[in-house]
Structures are given as C-alpha cells and as structure tokens.
Amino acid sequence: MVLLFALLNQMIPTIARRIGLQLKFWINLFHTIYSNRVTHNDTKISNALFSMDNKAICVIDTDTVMPGILHYDFGDAIRTICNTAAEDEADLNKVNFNFEYYEAYKKGFLEKFSNSMTQTEIKYLPLSVKTMIFII
C-alpha cells in the first residue's frame, strides 16, 4: 500500500501537466472557433436580480463584463443553477446535477441567442459545462 501511494505521488505532476495541456488545447480551440462577444464572465445565479414574483429583472455585478466567449457564460450559469448543493459544499453526497434545470436553462438560452450563434457554437454548447470545472 505504501508503494502504491509513493507511485501515485510520483504520477500526480504528470497527470496534472496532461490535464493542463488538454485544458489549454480546449481553450485555444474555443478562441479559434468561437467569436468574441460582450460577456458577463460571472453568470452565477446570485448575480441575477429577481422580482418578488421570481421574474428576472437584470444581471448585476457587472465589473466582470468584457469581451469573451458566450460558452463561458453558459457554462458558469449551469455550474450554479444545476448544482443541487451550495457552491462550496464539502459533503459530495449532497452534490448532484439537476438535468431538468439544465434543459430549461438551455431552452431559454437558445431562444434568446441561437439566431446570433453558429451551428458549431450551438453544437458545442454542452461542452462549455464540462470546461467550466477546469476554469473556475
């Protein structure tokens, strides 16, 4: 068992480097394929202001607005909207992904943005959710 832990300790830097290279590849691919737009870059649910009857009013915390890829905004929103636990939950048994919320958010997002998106951007929208876990 000690030998196994020693071996794993030696492999961790290599694994981390490979993950980093893969992430760099995906980020470069995103920037090559997708056009820059004005993005919020912190689209967690707590940065949306709602009325008393739960209607969205506006986005707040706009100090992060800059040119970016709308996939970052989509992925970051999904990261917080679809998580069944608090963002900093230590008990991973409480963490799950709400697919019903994902489908509802994706439907609304595409209703508003699909006319200004390429078919490639629409096709790879789900990839943004997976990518965000490496960026945040």
Side-chain angles (χ1 to χ4, degrees):
M1 188 63 102
V2 171
L3 185 59
L4 176 64
F5 284 122
L7 181 61
L8 284 174
N9 270 339
Q10 290 175 355
M11 293 174 62
I12 287 173
T14 302
I15 293 168
R17 190 170 39 258
R18 287 183 181 167
I19 289 171
L21 289 173
Q22 287 179 343
L23 179 58
K24 193 173 192 176
F25 166 78
W26 284 111
I27 289 171
N28 287 335
L29 179 66
F30 265 26
H31 286 283
T32 302
I33 295 174
Y34 305 117
S35 56
N36 272 343
R37 295 179 170 84
V38 175
T39 54
H40 186 275
N41 296 297
D42 193 15
T43 52
K44 58 188 173 193
I45 193 67
S46 60
N47 282 336
L49 186 62
F50 293 90
S51 67
M52 295 301 284
D53 58 345
N54 287 326
K55 301 289 183 201
I57 298 173
C58 65
V59 176
I60 59 172
D61 192 18
T62 57
D63 63 314
T64 57
V65 171
M66 65 181 111
I69 299 169
L70 80 110
H71 288 71
Y72 290 164
D73 277 357
F74 181 84
D76 197 23
I78 292 297
R79 179 182 65 85
T80 60
I81 292 168
C82 298
N83 186 1
T84 59
E87 188 174 2
D88 59 350
E89 178 59 61
D91 182 357
L92 296 181
N93 291 317
K94 295 179 181 177
V95 177
N96 212 331
F97 188 86
N98 188 318
F99 284 98
E100 184 178 329
Y101 288 0
Y102 171 79
E103 291 298 329
Y105 186 84
K106 183 175 83 171
K107 179 180 181 228
F109 188 90
L110 289 173
E111 283 175 4
K112 296 295 182 186
F113 290 107
S114 64
N115 288 340
S116 64
M117 295 173 68
T118 67
Q119 287 303 308
T120 302
E121 288 175 317
I122 293 170
K123 178 181 177 182
Y124 290 109
L125 202 56
L127 182 62
S128 65
V129 179
K130 294 179 179 182
T131 306
M132 286 311 296
I133 62 172
F134 295 107
I135 295 171
I136 297 297

